[in-house]
Amino acid sequence: MYINWQSRELNIKIVYYGPVLSGKTTNLEQIHAGVNPKRRTELVSLKTHEDSTLFFDFMQLELGKIGGLSPKIHLYTVPGKAYYESSRRLVLRGADGVVFVADSSEDRLKSNLQSWRKMKEHLSSFGVAYGNIPLVLQCNKQDLPNSLDPVILKKLLRVEGYPTFGAVAIASLGVAETFKAIMQSVVNHVQHQLV
Amino acid sequence: MNLVSRGALISSDLAASQEIARVTGEYQNHHMILHEGKTSHTFISGAGPHLVLFVKVLSEIPLGWSRKYVREAVSKIEEIIGARAKRSGKEMGFDKNGFQDKLDHALEDLWSK
């Protein structure tokens, strides 16, 4: 979180993290399509020629004046492909909150676990202890026939205590709920830094 | 492209360079990137932990002079920002009353076009 007292801007960084093709970019695309255009910037995407994320996707949301401040929410996704580990670490740095977008397909469990483990390692390398950062788990692709129930997937990932949502991001189901949940967690977490 | 989106790209350029320096063992506290162009050069420099300074100068201006100017600007920005960062939200007029509720309301409003 960074507060620019000159312009009274409260800047919050949210990162959508998860394995390749889990739907991180789709979440941002749906938010971009769903929110009031006056309240958002364009969606910047650095993609490869195969259309997967090369570095990150980015957009900013503006909430107007609240408590004398203008909160601005910076939304990022990380690239999912395995060989972009350094880029993922880089984008994750300085995050105020993380949405872990898991692919609910049963056969993607290993990818989810690897991604989850690496995310914890990266956070730890920044001195952020696991459990000490607002986090929301989104179990995406719940429409697939072999999808795992969010409760089961959460158990298999050994995630405890974080808000969890089932989602079909491509149909915009669960996208707004996930976003609101991470924002509430982040604001609860950072509010004491404001006074 | 608006200023915010451009800012995200500029800061990621600097962050990527810092990460390259870190993994190659060449990390230093101050990082500056120079992009040399035909008619203009651009400098990207960190200015404290939260800000990035982007400076575009005509290519006729000597690089050494521009670099010195950017370094001095960065020092001044860090000084000003550092002093402000020490002040509390209360001093700066932050009103915490109902902040969470107002924020929830604003989040709901985002989806109403």
Side-chain angles (χ1 to χ4, degrees):
Chain A
M1 183 189 72
Y2 170 65
I3 306 169
N4 181 342
W5 286 115
Q6 188 69 34
S7 55
R8 302 204 158 269
E9 283 177 13
L10 166 64
N11 293 279
I12 291 171
K13 180 178 179 182
I14 308 289
V15 175
Y16 282 70
Y17 196 101
V20 66
L21 297 174
S22 63
K24 303 175 290 296
T25 300
T26 309
N27 265 271
L28 251 65
E29 285 170 345
Q30 293 292 350
I31 293 170
H32 188 261
V35 303
N36 186 337
K38 289 177 188 163
R39 298 279 189 183
R40 57 150 168 82
T41 64
E42 58 197 294
L43 177 61
V44 176
S45 289
L46 298 181
K47 290 180 186 297
T48 65
H49 61 278
E50 296 158 326
D51 221 30
S52 67
T53 306
L54 174 65
F55 196 176
F56 59 80
D57 305 301
F58 167 81
M59 66 181 284
Q60 181 186 267
L61 300 171
E62 294 184 14
L63 298 181
K65 271 233 174 327
I66 302 172
L69 292 173
S70 302
K72 294 183 189 299
I73 307 159
H74 304 262
L75 302 179
Y76 286 85
T77 67
V78 298
K81 287 197 171 173
Y83 44 79
Y84 292 135
E85 203 57 67
S86 290
S87 303
R88 274 193 289 282
R89 183 181 181 278
L90 195 55
V91 176
L92 193 59
R93 193 172 74 187
D96 296 300
V98 180
V99 173
F100 187 89
V101 183
D103 188 325
S104 302
S105 313
E106 203 171 355
D107 49 7
R108 296 296 310 282
L109 181 61
K110 197 176 163 189
S111 304
N112 289 326
L113 279 164
Q114 281 172 346
S115 183
W116 181 263
R117 195 169 54 240
K118 286 306 282 187
M119 179 189 72
K120 282 167 67 178
E121 277 178 32
H122 292 322
L123 289 172
S124 169
S125 75
F126 307 136
V128 179
Y130 173 66
N132 217 2
I133 185 166
L135 197 147
V136 170
L137 172 64
Q138 183 190 75
C139 302
N140 192 23
K141 304 192 182 181
Q142 284 290 306
D143 55 331
L144 295 179
N146 63 341
S147 65
L148 294 166
D149 185 87
V151 177
I152 295 169
L153 186 53
K154 190 174 183 178
K155 262 189 190 167
L156 292 169
L157 288 171
R158 296 189 193 114
V159 180
E160 284 176 16
Y162 289 113
T164 302
F165 295 87
V168 184
I170 202 153
S172 206
L173 297 172
V175 171
E177 292 80 355
T178 303
F179 172 69
K180 286 173 192 169
I182 190 63
M183 277 307 299
Q184 282 164 351
S185 300
V186 167
V187 170
N188 276 335
H189 194 252
V190 302
Q191 215 172 170
H192 68 277
Q193 294 177 41
L194 293 168
V195 289
Chain B
M1 182 179 283
N2 71 17
L3 190 63
V4 173
S5 305
R6 195 179 298 181
L9 291 173
I10 291 167
S11 56
S12 66
D13 192 355
L14 182 69
S17 296
Q18 287 174 335
E19 189 68 3
I20 292 165
R22 191 187 69 84
V23 296
T24 54
E26 290 293 331
Y27 188 84
Q28 291 176 0
N29 283 334
H30 187 83
H31 283 265
M32 188 187 289
I33 302 171
L34 163 65
H35 293 288
E36 286 188 67
K38 263 188 182 173
T39 56
S40 63
H41 306 315
T42 56
F43 288 87
I44 299 171
S45 174
H50 299 293
L51 292 178
V52 173
L53 181 65
F54 177 80
V55 178
K56 192 170 179 176
V57 296
L58 289 172
S59 53
E60 299 144 23
I61 299 169
L63 283 175
W65 189 90
S66 301
R67 184 177 165 277
K68 188 173 179 292
Y69 171 81
V70 171
R71 284 297 292 263
E72 278 180 18
V74 163
S75 297
K76 284 183 181 168
I77 291 169
E78 284 176 339
E79 207 175 293
I80 295 164
I81 297 296
R84 283 188 176 273
K86 285 173 190 156
R87 300 192 196 174
S88 70
K90 202 175 175 183
E91 278 178 275
M92 300 304 289
F94 169 64
D95 176 14
K96 69 172 182 175
N97 288 331
F99 184 75
Q100 180 83 56
D101 289 344
K102 287 174 191 163
L103 191 99
D104 288 347
H105 188 69
L107 287 172
E108 288 295 333
D109 263 4
L110 270 178
W111 266 265
S112 58
K113 291 189 180 177

